[in-house]
Amino acid sequence: MSDKTLIVEALQVAFAGVDVVRDLSFTLSPGRCVALVGESGSGKSVSARSLVGLAGSGAQVSARRLSFAGQDLLSLSERQWRAVRGKDIGFVLQDALVSLDPLRPVGKEILEVLQTHGYGDRHSRSARVHELLERVGVPDVALRARQRSGQLSGGLRQRALIASALALDPALVIADEPTTALDATVQAQILAVFREIKARGAALLIISHDLAVVAQLADEVVVLRHGEVVEQGPMQQVLRQPRHAYTQALLAAVPSAHPRGQRLSPERAVQPAIAAPRGPGEVLLAGRGLGKRYLGPDGLLRQVLEDVDFTLRAGQTLGIVGESGSGKTTVARIALGLLAPDQGEVLYRGQPWNGPGDAVSEARRRPLRGEISVIYQDPLGSFDPRWSVAQILDDALHVAGLDAAARPARIAVLLEQVRLPAALAQRRPLQLSGGQRQRVAIARAIASEPKLIICDEPVSALDVSVQAQVLDLLADLQEQLGLAYLFISHDLGVIRHVSDQVLVMRHGRVVEHAPVEQLFAHPAHEYTQRLLGAVPHLPGTGSELVVPPLDLEHEAFDLFDESRLWKIAI
Amino acid sequence: MKPTSLAVTDPRRERWAALGRRAAVRLGGGALVLWAVATLTFFAMRLMPGDPVLAILGGPSSNPTPEAIEAARIEYGLDKPVAVQYLLYLWRLLQGDLGVSYGQHLPVTRVLAEQGGATLQLTFAALLLAWLLVLLLTVVTAGRGRLVGGLASLAETFSASLPHFWLGVVLLAVFAFGLRWFPPAGSDGLASLVLPAFALAIPLAGFIAQVTRESLELTLEQPFVLTARTRGLSDLAVRFRHVLRHALLPGVSLSGWAIGALISGAVVCEVIFSRKGVGRQLYQAVQTQDMPLVIGISLVVAASYVLANILVDLLYQWIDPRQQEVTA
């Protein structure tokens, strides 16, 4: 057990005879970090799980060599595997809200590892739990250990999850998307915890789709696509001089590296027919002094919005950026007229649109509803799963008041506008990919020929390259149709790429409001500076080039995150 | 914007306090339900055809003198206006006086005390047995591939669709008269409890198992289950320590409803297996228009139903403490 090195040679994983990972090889020695990078479906997670013998039932794992600390992993029985898991190899999953048992206190979760492997007695185990939580930077450990993951903030529960993986000081730590779903400032803190783990001499295997995170930790990078290694080498070399086209595309798809108007994805199908004039048009939507309070579960009133102003002009994009709980979704719901503010008012083209209580009736709003559309993060939840794409669009056109006879032709035009093949019209939402679904959602949003679309985290659940295509599509549609966007995101890179004006929100207040270039070049408010500073950078791009965390809410947890958002919003 | 109160109070004490508050609220609600049941039964019995005085004096076949009828009418307070009778009735209820059974000429409370125990025994034995069957069947077989799961869920659907009376008769024929393992009738000892308890438990188990299996299979897919496995836990430990607690919730809710179904099932079982119990008494009391006994039994059944649902509600909160944050 002297040399705790992980050796993977020609790893192959198949489900029902179909390979999902082919010929993956790398060596990981103590104190080093290897990163497996790829988009969803690239086989990176299943590779990581094979290393602890949990690739799933029905998985056929084979390799020329798969050994850790001189022990052949492939020949282990289930009982032997259990002795390795948690003791020699610690495993951290993404989003501790669902990766820790939500019904148990986090302290018990950490205790479980100690009990399973027979560590010490009652007292020493309890002391060890506190020591571990302190080590990963959890304050008030005695209290926190008795709280459930749902009662902790995102950063604290991710720390608790990491603490449970570190319980027995494993020589190898595998982290599968450990910072996904975290806000930028929290992400920076968690990355520091991992750097510390590495510095203590553990070997670290990071699974991520986020190149900026990888750049912070990895010594070696393995880029996977559809289960195959497309590029592999030292981190500096792979990220600075990517040789494979896919790695280059991944790097190029990062939105903030490109100013407004520049394309993120290579192909461009349609040239804009009419270029609508840009520049300041009439004021479409304006919020004045918006405030909103909610009664919390503890019986205390919480101010979720306070004195928020915004102005959105025709043909422009107003970006609203903030971390979770900053009130950005509440602004979206008030702007849509779905929720009445407690103070202030919203004007649409100078007319009252929303106000406290029943200041503006839904009957007054209804004739104008078609002019304001909405796109959500998770389109699947907003589609009837039994309807085909054609039915979904037909329904939207029906609501918009179009004759039944004219609808099929219009559906064809809409699909072309969002660049979906006409053959997809007969498919149902579940049969579409994430990117295709979001295109259908966009087609539905433009069906009523709106002047304004409210986009609530529209690309957060998408892979980098798909995200790039959707952002390009939105930019093209804005140019062709003269649309205005109220664009809500926690992702600074996306906000920078799409916005003309940016509103930075924190704890329900607007802390900064500025034109996009000014905001990113000279952030005035201390919080904006901190937000920009917390974003991990790619190597060699300088401080001016900000690469934000992408795809923060991973696709698998869409519905979950959505429900959390609503809880905050309602 | 996190609630700051969490930082200063002990989470465990907080939990018990919330549980206590919830119990108080639910008990208050339960009292209202009982009052409503008492009122409804009172007026429903008034609407029944037939003169209660005749029932008191020995049923429709007897032939009492007009003087005897008048005397009984005054003795039982039936000459007063209905509103007064109702208030008197409520006043006596509050004092725990359920009146005297017309048919048996015994205080209703005494009849209930003698018969209630047997029914409670049967109901709770059936509920426990049902859960035992559910756990045995589902925790071990859930998520074990299509053949095992398919066979198990076929068995569940089949048993959920068995009617009590049919199952009771079949169990009697096979295990009491055929194999002679258990006594066919009576209500003394554990042996006489086995067959009626199974007759009640099997359909209920099939029903609860269906929902429990589904939620077990959903829970097994959750990321925290994978996390537990990466700690080196064995498969059974993962299932019992993590998965089961999540998967219990729908079945626990169903159990509250099941108490009601079990009591009505007990009426059938008590007749089939000639057991003591309020089910049989109710059956006879309705036939002879024995109003105080009908009201007494209805109230006791309603009270146990209310109590069971309060317990289920508290159990639910205890299993899933997240509920408190939403409802407390």
Side-chain angles (χ1 to χ4, degrees):
Chain A
M1 296 289 281
S2 52
D3 185 21
K4 307 216 170 194
T5 298
L6 172 72
I7 300 169
V8 180
E9 271 177 37
L11 177 70
Q12 185 143 356
V13 187
F15 284 95
V18 180
D19 287 350
V20 291
V21 178
R22 275 181 298 276
D23 202 21
L24 172 66
S25 305
F26 62 90
T27 302
L28 176 54
S29 35
R32 305 267 301 165
C33 174
V34 169
L36 300 183
V37 179
E39 298 187 300
S40 40
S42 62
K44 56 194 196 308
S45 283
V46 75
S47 305
R49 281 162 207 188
S50 324
L51 299 180
V52 285
L54 290 172
S57 59
Q60 293 123 25
V61 181
S62 59
R64 196 156 58 232
R65 188 167 170 208
L66 186 63
S67 74
F68 177 65
Q71 191 175 20
D72 179 17
L73 295 178
L74 284 175
S75 67
L76 293 185
S77 68
E78 179 58 25
R79 181 175 290 271
Q80 288 167 319
W81 262 126
R82 295 212 300 267
V84 170
R85 289 178 204 143
K87 187 158 165 284
D88 300 322
I89 305 180
F91 206 101
V92 182
L93 280 155
Q94 69 172 3
D95 196 358
L97 187 64
V98 287
S99 296
L100 286 169
D101 190 332
L103 299 184
R104 301 173 97 205
V106 293
K108 273 223 170 123
E109 291 280 276
I110 302 171
L111 201 62
E112 188 172 76
V113 191
L114 303 174
Q115 282 168 338
T116 305
H117 296 281
Y119 174 95
D121 59 13
R122 244 179 100 97
H123 294 286
S124 61
R125 280 200 290 262
S126 157
R128 174 75 179 157
V129 167
H130 288 192
E131 180 198 324
L132 282 163
L133 283 171
E134 262 163 25
R135 199 172 119 196
V136 295
V138 173
D140 292 330
V141 286
L143 169 75
R144 300 300 178 192
R146 286 153 80 177
Q147 289 182 320
R148 284 169 277 113
S149 58
Q151 294 172 310
L152 299 175
S153 67
L156 283 184
R157 62 174 167 254
Q158 194 68 24
R159 284 166 201 263
L161 179 62
I162 294 171
S164 80
L166 297 182
L168 293 162
D169 281 320
L172 169 63
V173 176
I174 301 175
D176 189 354
E177 305 274 7
T179 60
T180 302
L182 296 178
D183 285 326
T185 48
V186 180
Q187 186 181 38
Q189 294 159 7
I190 297 294
L191 286 176
V193 173
F194 276 107
R195 268 196 294 274
E196 207 257 349
I197 294 170
K198 203 175 132 188
R200 286 170 82 107
L204 192 58
L205 179 66
I206 292 275
I207 320 298
S208 185
H209 63 275
D210 187 336
L211 293 165
V213 166
V214 166
Q216 297 288 303
L217 288 168
D219 302 299
E220 191 186 336
V221 176
V222 182
V223 183
L224 286 167
R225 188 193 193 186
H226 304 322
E228 285 190 58
V229 176
V230 296
E231 188 157 359
Q232 180 165 8
M235 186 265 283
Q236 293 284 344
Q237 185 196 311
V238 173
L239 295 192
R240 281 192 197 208
Q241 291 124 25
R243 275 178 312 211
H244 195 279
Y246 179 67
T247 318
Q248 287 163 4
L250 271 185
L251 284 163
V254 173
S256 66
H258 305 270
R260 241 206 97 107
Q262 195 174 325
R263 301 197 61 79
L264 302 169
S265 56
E267 109 291 351
R268 176 160 194 157
V270 193
Q271 288 296 322
I274 339 126
R278 287 192 62 87
E282 83 173 302
V283 174
L284 272 187
L285 195 69
R288 295 286 166 260
L290 295 174
K292 184 76 193 168
R293 283 186 302 183
Y294 291 117
L295 195 63
D298 45 8
L300 300 173
L301 272 180
R302 253 166 286 184
Q303 190 87 30
V304 291
L305 275 194
E306 200 170 351
D307 201 21
V308 170
D309 292 342
F310 66 87
T311 304
L312 176 59
R313 292 176 180 276
Q316 290 224 324
T317 300
L318 173 67
I320 301 185
V321 68
E323 299 188 300
S324 40
S326 62
K328 48 191 199 307
T329 297
T330 309
V331 171
R333 287 169 56 81
I334 289 175
L336 270 168
L338 293 176
L339 180 76
D342 292 332
Q343 292 105 36
E345 56 169 357
V346 181
L347 302 174
Y348 177 68
R349 302 173 79 186
Q351 298 298 309
W353 172 252
N354 199 354
D358 296 323
V360 184
S361 68
E362 186 56 31
R364 264 183 80 183
R365 270 195 291 261
R366 199 163 294 131
L368 293 172
R369 277 257 178 238
E371 296 185 17
I372 303 184
S373 288
V374 62
I375 307 171
Y376 293 109
Q377 173 182 342
D378 170 34
L380 196 57
S382 61
F383 295 145
D384 186 329
R386 288 163 300 182
W387 281 9
S388 67
V389 170
Q391 279 172 305
I392 290 167
L393 296 179
D394 186 81
D395 182 58
L397 292 169
H398 172 67
V399 172
L402 199 69
D403 284 346
R407 286 183 219 152
R410 180 91 175 101
I411 290 172
V413 173
L414 285 173
L415 287 176
E416 201 185 307
Q417 274 180 314
V418 298
R419 286 173 223 145
L420 281 175
L424 251 62
Q426 296 316 314
R427 297 239 194 119
R428 280 188 287 274
L430 280 169
Q431 299 167 318
L432 300 175
S433 72
Q436 289 170 335
R437 276 179 212 148
Q438 202 54 287
R439 284 170 195 265
V440 175
I442 294 170
R444 182 173 62 175
I446 60 173
S448 60
E449 297 178 10
K451 294 185 179 354
L452 159 64
I453 301 181
I454 293 173
C455 311
D456 190 356
E457 302 270 9
V459 294
S460 300
L462 303 174
D463 275 330
V464 196
S465 54
V466 181
Q467 181 182 46
Q469 293 162 13
V470 171
L471 289 176
D472 282 346
L473 173 65
L474 285 172
D476 291 346
L477 289 173
Q478 183 166 49
E479 215 173 296
Q480 289 165 24
L481 307 171
L483 291 167
Y485 295 136
L486 183 67
F487 199 103
I488 289 166
S489 179
H490 62 275
D491 186 328
L492 284 162
V494 169
I495 285 288
R496 182 182 192 182
H497 182 75
V498 299
S499 306
D500 296 295
Q501 298 277 324
V502 181
L503 224 59
V504 182
M505 291 193 63
R506 188 193 190 197
H507 298 342
R509 291 165 179 271
V510 175
V511 296
E512 189 161 355
H513 177 201
V516 65
E517 285 317 319
Q518 186 190 326
L519 185 95
F520 280 84
H522 311 288
H525 193 276
E526 173 262 344
Y527 176 69
T528 316
Q529 290 162 5
R530 233 175 53 213
L531 210 56
L532 290 174
V535 168
H537 299 239
L538 282 179
T541 50
S543 61
E544 173 257 313
L545 195 62
V546 180
V547 180
L550 305 159
D551 182 9
L552 283 201
E553 266 96 5
H554 191 270
E555 215 148 357
F557 302 121
D558 267 357
L559 289 168
F560 211 86
D561 283 329
E562 190 78 352
S563 69
R564 249 193 302 161
L565 272 180
W566 284 96
K567 220 177 267 172
I568 295 163
I570 292 164
Chain B
M1 281 200 292
K2 287 270 150 198
T4 46
S5 64
L6 280 176
V8 285
T9 52
D10 179 341
R12 194 172 298 158
R13 202 182 309 154
E14 185 90 323
R15 259 190 81 182
W16 283 108
L19 224 52
R21 280 197 298 275
R22 180 114 185 125
V25 170
R26 292 299 310 259
L27 279 172
L32 277 179
V33 170
L34 287 183
W35 169 71
V37 170
T39 307
L40 279 175
T41 334
F42 179 83
F43 288 103
M45 291 307 288
R46 293 281 133 181
L47 292 176
M48 296 255 293
D51 190 343
V53 176
L54 287 180
I56 295 167
L57 296 174
S61 56
S62 66
N63 206 356
T65 60
E67 290 77 30
I69 292 178
E70 199 50 39
R73 205 181 284 283
I74 292 168
E75 189 192 336
Y76 286 90
L78 294 170
D79 54 337
K80 299 191 176 71
V82 175
V84 176
Q85 285 187 40
Y86 171 66
L87 289 176
L88 263 175
Y89 155 79
L90 280 189
W91 176 241
R92 289 198 190 118
L93 270 190
L94 280 177
Q95 291 170 318
D97 177 6
L98 293 172
V100 177
S101 159
Y102 297 163
Q104 306 185 21
H105 301 288
L106 288 169
V108 171
T109 41
R110 209 169 113 198
V111 179
L112 287 172
E114 279 169 10
Q115 309 281 338
T119 303
L120 271 185
Q121 217 178 26
L122 178 59
T123 318
F124 281 93
L127 190 63
L128 275 181
L129 194 61
W131 268 105
L132 206 69
L133 292 174
V134 167
L135 294 185
L136 277 180
L137 194 65
T138 57
V139 178
V140 181
T141 62
R144 297 273 191 224
R146 281 166 85 166
L147 187 69
V148 177
L151 282 176
S153 74
L154 189 73
E156 284 153 14
T157 315
F158 180 70
S159 39
S161 57
L162 295 175
H164 294 135
F165 59 85
W166 183 83
L167 194 59
V169 171
V170 169
L171 288 176
L172 261 185
V174 176
F175 295 99
F177 298 124
L179 297 168
R180 297 181 180 279
W181 286 356
F182 300 101
S187 42
D188 24 54
L190 214 57
S192 68
L193 190 62
V194 173
L195 290 185
F198 265 102
L200 282 178
I202 289 174
L204 181 62
F207 208 57
I208 298 180
Q210 285 175 325
V211 292
T212 307
R213 167 177 312 280
E214 195 186 337
S215 68
L216 275 170
E217 273 165 6
L218 277 174
T219 314
L220 277 167
E221 301 293 314
Q222 295 295 309
F224 68 82
V225 173
L226 179 65
T227 307
R229 291 192 202 280
T230 65
R231 293 186 188 130
L233 253 64
S234 69
D235 185 56
L236 274 183
V238 167
R239 281 167 185 258
F240 277 100
R241 269 194 243 163
H242 290 274
V243 180
L244 185 57
R245 186 166 173 191
H246 290 257
L248 279 179
L249 294 173
V252 168
S253 317
L254 259 186
S255 299
W257 161 86
I259 299 279
L262 279 176
I263 292 174
S264 61
V267 175
V268 177
C269 277
E270 281 165 6
V271 174
I272 292 177
F273 291 93
S274 323
R275 279 177 64 83
K276 279 207 311 201
V278 293
R280 238 161 86 94
Q281 294 292 331
L282 183 65
Y283 177 73
Q284 287 162 359
V286 171
Q287 282 190 328
T288 56
Q289 256 195 23
D290 188 345
M291 197 163 74
L293 193 56
V294 171
I295 291 177
I297 294 174
S298 307
L299 277 177
V300 166
V301 170
S304 48
Y305 190 64
V306 166
L307 205 65
N309 274 285
I310 292 175
L311 283 178
V312 161
D313 190 59
L314 295 179
L315 186 65
Y316 202 96
Q317 306 249 332
W318 185 69
I319 294 175
D320 189 349
R322 288 173 302 183
Q323 302 290 323
Q324 282 171 10
E325 278 142 39
V326 187
T327 53

